[in-house]
Amino acid sequence: MAQNLRAKIPEADTLIICDRNHEATRRFVEELDSAAGAGGRRAGVEIADTSREVAEKSEVIITVLPEPTHVKSVFWQILHPRLPDLPALSSFSSAPNRLFIDCSTIDPTSSKDIANAVHSSSPARFVDAPMSGGVVGARAATLTFMLGCPSHNGNGHGKLRKRVTPILELMGKKVVHMGSSGAGLAGKLANNYLLAISNIATAEAMNLGIKLGLDPVQLAELINESSGQCWSSKVNNPIKGISAGSPAEKDFEGGFAVGLMRKDLGLAMKAARESGAELELAKTAEGLYEHVEDSEGMKDFSVVYRWLEKRNVGGTVKR
């Protein structure tokens, strides 16, 4: 995402990065240096030590964090003490107000609380814009963003949506406005609940077909041309040699960790309890992901297939 931002924002703008993963930051800077070539000049990138430093220097701040507690902690650091006013600096807006775009997957209630804190403590705007598309989508700038921000014209909210959309389009191919604050996250939790279930079903279907003697490549081709096709079967298939660039090609490294899928599933279950929605398969899926995480650690969640495969005994599956 950072590479796509730096490549597409105006050359005069500066991309300021703050990441607790210093190794990832180092690799990013090295890649930019390499792209610049010998004697070349790296495009404007600055490394910040704190999230507060990023906010003080920036007009548009994009946050991506794992858990609700992380997002709350970061925004507490950003908002206390009160941020100084900021003149317009970039080409994305003529307004002097900062824009916070949170792409984290957290619960809608926490996001609304953060939005209220931002709007009440500074002349800034906050929107929730979780994303879908995985690591592959982030690299290729083909992500889908689910936007939660007011769309009516009062208080400039219509302008806010128009301001946010082109920024997100630098990192993705589609921005879907889901409604007011928190609505983007509501859409994301519904989507990721479906993903959690379809990932398990894909692993089980591939395991079943292979145990019945089918060639995995032919089986995947059949599924992906039939009614069973889904993102997990087509883009993130758990069998090596089927989905180019997928985590299965790299021993399930570098994708969406099992623990993050388990976290999102838990958030969807919490939202379901609060809204009165029935999720019949949720507890079964939650238990399975707990077992897979205990066995496989931080591997991509498609490693469910390998967990199932290890449990095969003859023509049955161990329980």
Side-chain angles (χ1 to χ4, degrees), residues 14-169:
T14 299
L15 178 67
I16 305 173
I17 299 173
C18 178
D19 195 328
R20 291 185 63 182
N21 187 336
H22 300 300
E23 176 61 23
T25 304
R26 183 189 64 78
R27 288 198 306 268
F28 175 67
V29 171
E30 286 181 350
E31 289 171 2
L32 289 178
D33 287 340
S34 176
R41 178 180 174 274
R42 184 204 310 161
V45 173
E46 183 179 329
I47 307 302
D49 293 325
T50 67
S51 54
R52 171 76 183 200
E53 181 185 351
V54 174
E56 287 179 348
K57 296 179 176 179
S58 304
E59 182 179 335
V60 178
I61 301 96
I62 300 171
T63 49
V64 187
L65 296 150
E67 302 269 0
T69 54
H70 301 142
V71 182
K72 290 178 180 179
S73 175
V74 164
F75 273 91
W76 174 265
Q77 294 169 24
I78 288 174
L79 297 175
H80 297 85
R82 185 183 185 278
L83 282 168
D85 293 342
L86 182 74
L89 296 176
S90 82
S91 58
F92 286 111
S93 172
S94 59
N97 293 345
R98 288 179 178 84
L99 170 61
F100 291 96
I101 303 175
D102 184 37
C103 297
S104 312
T105 299
I106 61 175
D107 60 287
T109 299
S110 292
S111 184
K112 291 177 184 177
D113 289 343
I114 295 166
N116 289 334
V118 169
H119 297 155
S120 64
S121 65
S122 65
R125 304 301 301 167
F126 176 96
V127 301
D128 54 288
M131 53 198 163
S132 180
V135 174
V136 174
R139 289 171 179 161
T142 57
L143 295 168
T144 294
F145 289 92
M146 299 151 237
L147 178 60
C149 79
S151 60
H152 55 80
N153 290 325
N155 299 319
H157 291 319
K159 293 181 180 179
L160 175 62
R161 180 180 171 187
K162 292 178 181 179
R163 181 182 176 191
V164 173
T165 299
I167 299 171
L168 294 176
E169 287 175 341

Side-chain angles (χ1 to χ4, degrees), residues 64-71 102-107 130-131 185 188-189 192-193 196 256-271 273 285-286 289-290 293 298 301:
V64 187
L65 296 150
E67 302 269 0
T69 54
H70 301 142
V71 182
D102 184 37
C103 297
S104 312
T105 299
I106 61 175
D107 60 287
M131 53 198 163
L185 284 161
K188 177 63 185 289
L189 295 184
N192 274 29
Y193 175 72
F256 188 61
V258 178
L260 292 177
M261 184 75 264
R262 182 181 166 191
K263 181 266 294 185
D264 286 3
L265 180 58
L267 290 173
M269 294 169 69
K270 178 177 181 289
R273 289 192 298 270
E286 183 182 44
Y289 281 115
E290 287 177 0
E293 186 176 17
M298 295 299 291
F301 75 123

